[in-house]
């Protein structure tokens, strides 16, 4: 185990549903990330949080809404998704962003299917 | 911005043989190059990394080489075992500026018994 947990592991939702993905890290880190992993494409960085503050939004559509209530928890709220949003969503954490050569620790991901 | 290419996309080797995966990057300012292994049903896990001030790093059966002039780096796995079967991702970043990783598209390695 990497110390980063994600729930649920699998999620099937309709385009009109609202759901949330949860990530929790037990490593004492202060930076957390959401990535999207689609088939045959590189990992796409979506959001970055450092000390609970969002430091990066990589032009992600507003139907994805992140929330970071504290340094240990990260949520991704989903609303009116499209079938092309089906992918594996990975959460990662690392020491604060200012630390150089920062290893990122990944959770197992949530496999999302949008019908 | 940084762009990372990775080859091959799939690689099959016989158990005991060596495997080599190659990556190229575009931004000469990148100075940190981690390699991640992703097993089925799991998230990526760091297996080895290299900083731009060294040309080679080794950890048991895995090694990474870096050619800054040519802007490419490679992962070498010797004496491959079935448990090495996974998807491998290379990445590049400007670590000392806290920059994000840019990942390659991945290589699916299959080690045949």
């Amino acid at each position: 185990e990497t110390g980063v947990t994600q729930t649920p592991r699998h999620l099937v939702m309709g385009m009109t549903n609202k759901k949330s993905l949860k990530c929790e890290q037990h490593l004492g880190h202060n930076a957390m990330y959401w990535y999207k992993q689609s088939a045959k494409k590189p990992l796409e960085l979506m959001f970055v949080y450092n000390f609970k503050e969002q430091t990066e939004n990589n032009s992600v559509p507003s139907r994805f809404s992140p929330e970071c209530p504290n340094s240990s928890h990260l949520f991704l709220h989903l609303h009116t998704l499209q079938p092309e949003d089906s992918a594996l969503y990975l959460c990662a954490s690392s020491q604060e962003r200012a630390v150089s050569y920062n290893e990122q620790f990944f959770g197992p991901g949530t496999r999302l299917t949008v019908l | 911005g940084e762009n990372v290419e990775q080859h091959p996309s799939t690689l099959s080797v016989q158990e005991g043989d060596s495997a080599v995966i190659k990556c190229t990057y575009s931004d000469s300012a990148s100075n940190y190059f981690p390699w991640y292994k992703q097993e089925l049903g799991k998230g990526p896990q760091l297996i080895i990394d290299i900083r731009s001030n060294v040309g080679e790093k080794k950890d048991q059966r895995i090694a990474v080489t870096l050619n800054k002039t040519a802007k490419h780096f490679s992962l070498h796995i010797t004496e491959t075992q079935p448990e090495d079967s996974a998807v491998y991702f290379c990445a590049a970043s400007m670590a000392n500026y806290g920059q994000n990783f840019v990942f390659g598209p991945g290589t699916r390695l299959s080690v045949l018994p």
Side-chain angles (χ1 to χ4, degrees):
Chain A
E1 296 299 325
T2 63
V4 180
T5 58
Q6 290 187 244
T7 54
R9 294 293 309 275
H10 301 271
L11 178 62
V12 179
M13 59 187 289
M15 289 192 288
T16 58
N17 291 158
K18 290 184 180 180
K19 297 286 184 183
S20 296
L21 310 185
K22 178 182 177 182
C23 175
E24 183 174 0
Q25 58 94 1
H26 309 274
L27 301 168
H29 290 162
N30 289 302
M32 297 189 78
Y33 311 77
W34 279 117
Y35 286 89
K36 177 183 179 182
Q37 186 175 32
S38 304
K40 300 182 180 180
K41 293 178 69 175
L43 275 76
E44 300 172 71
L45 181 65
M46 300 175 71
F47 302 103
V48 181
Y49 279 82
N50 194 47
F51 288 99
K52 302 187 299 178
E53 299 297 321
Q54 187 181 125
T55 60
E56 194 146 346
N57 175 339
N58 256 6
S59 302
V60 180
S62 59
R63 58 186 184 268
F64 295 90
S65 175
E67 178 189 2
C68 189
N70 54 61
S71 292
S72 299
H73 293 86
L74 184 65
F75 295 89
L76 188 62
H77 303 299
L78 315 173
H79 177 50
T80 59
L81 295 191
Q82 304 298 311
E84 59 264 30
D85 297 322
S86 298
L88 182 69
Y89 289 85
L90 291 163
C91 172
S93 73
S94 70
Q95 295 181 43
E96 62 177 281
R97 296 279 285 160
V99 174
S100 297
Y101 306 104
N102 229 338
E103 179 181 353
Q104 292 186 19
F105 293 78
F106 285 84
T110 294
R111 174 69 61 187
L112 174 66
T113 302
V114 181
L115 302 177
Chain B
E2 177 65 274
N3 181 53
V4 177
E5 296 184 354
Q6 184 172 348
H7 299 281
S9 57
T10 60
L11 177 61
S12 293
V13 299
Q14 290 294 135
E15 182 177 356
D17 287 351
S18 295
V20 180
I21 302 171
K22 299 182 179 181
C23 288
T24 60
Y25 61 99
S26 61
D27 192 339
S28 57
S30 290
N31 60 2
Y32 178 57
F33 308 92
W35 284 89
Y36 281 80
K37 174 184 180 183
Q38 186 174 23
E39 298 176 345
L40 194 63
K42 297 183 178 181
Q45 185 170 359
L46 180 72
I47 55 170
I48 195 168
D49 56 14
I50 190 167
R51 303 180 186 186
S52 59
N53 58 346
V54 297
E56 184 174 359
K57 183 177 178 180
K58 190 173 181 179
D59 183 4
Q60 299 183 344
R61 296 187 297 108
I62 60 173
V64 57
T65 58
L66 171 65
N67 183 326
K68 287 193 300 180
T69 303
K71 290 189 283 188
H72 66 69
F73 56 112
S74 300
L75 178 71
H76 305 253
I77 306 174
T78 58
E79 301 173 23
T80 53
Q81 301 167 3
E83 53 264 37
D84 294 328
S85 296
V87 179
Y88 292 80
F89 295 94
C90 62
S93 77
M94 287 184 284
N96 49 340
Y97 291 95
Q99 293 297 304
N100 299 319
F101 293 171
V102 176
F103 285 89
T107 296
R108 181 173 299 279
L109 173 65
S110 299
V111 179
L112 308 174

